[in-house]
Amino acid sequence: MLDHTDRPLQDLCDDVLYRLRNDTRHGDVILLLARTRTFPADHVAVWHLDHHPKAVATARTHTQRQLRHWGVDEETAYTTEMIVSELVTNAIRYGTPPVRLRLIKDRTLTCEVCDSNSLAPRLRHAKTIDEGGRGLFIIAQLAQNWGVRYSLDGKTVWAEQTLPPPTSPGPQQRS
């Protein structure tokens, strides 16, 4: 087996398509390539939450503490807290236990909330007089991307944010 870990995915895709060019079968070809890896343990934080409205405040507290530990800037932290609040609120209101919050800090910052209900959340456009229905709309405005992933035991609603580039220390001043 060849080791292609260092080759760009586009090069691998081009190779496969080049080899298929003389294929006598008719029809479309779909090619999906992905490079997966594990995250370092200190880049992932997971909390199991009570299925109770107070879990939203608990989730925000955990998030604040973790983002401070990771050194995430204030603006991103504030946005993340809002996203976590909306995701956990939806899981508590419409989902079924158990509820789990996971934060992943990599090239992006990902917030995931899992629950055991497999029904998909809906992005709604609430009217001015509506008391609810704005959660996913708010998330869609704040996050770079969001979506739902299904599993045998429920769903995960996730939102991804870009992280600002790390600030490098400026030139040292001489005394």
Side-chain angles (χ1 to χ4, degrees), residues 62-88:
H62 289 314
T63 299
Q64 290 167 351
R65 194 173 298 128
Q66 187 63 48
L67 296 180
R68 260 195 315 275
H69 175 72
W70 282 338
V72 172
D73 67 284
E74 267 186 58
E75 184 178 339
T76 304
Y78 178 77
T79 301
T80 305
E81 289 174 45
M82 289 184 64
I83 289 170
V84 164
S85 292
E86 295 300 333
L87 290 175
V88 173

Side-chain angles (χ1 to χ4, degrees), residues 78-108:
Y78 178 77
T79 301
T80 305
E81 289 174 45
M82 289 184 64
I83 289 170
V84 164
S85 292
E86 295 300 333
L87 290 175
V88 173
T89 297
N90 283 350
I92 299 300
R93 185 172 289 162
Y94 305 110
T96 53
V99 175
R100 186 185 76 204
L101 167 64
R102 180 165 78 160
L103 300 178
I104 303 167
K105 182 179 179 274
D106 193 44
R107 290 176 230 141
T108 59

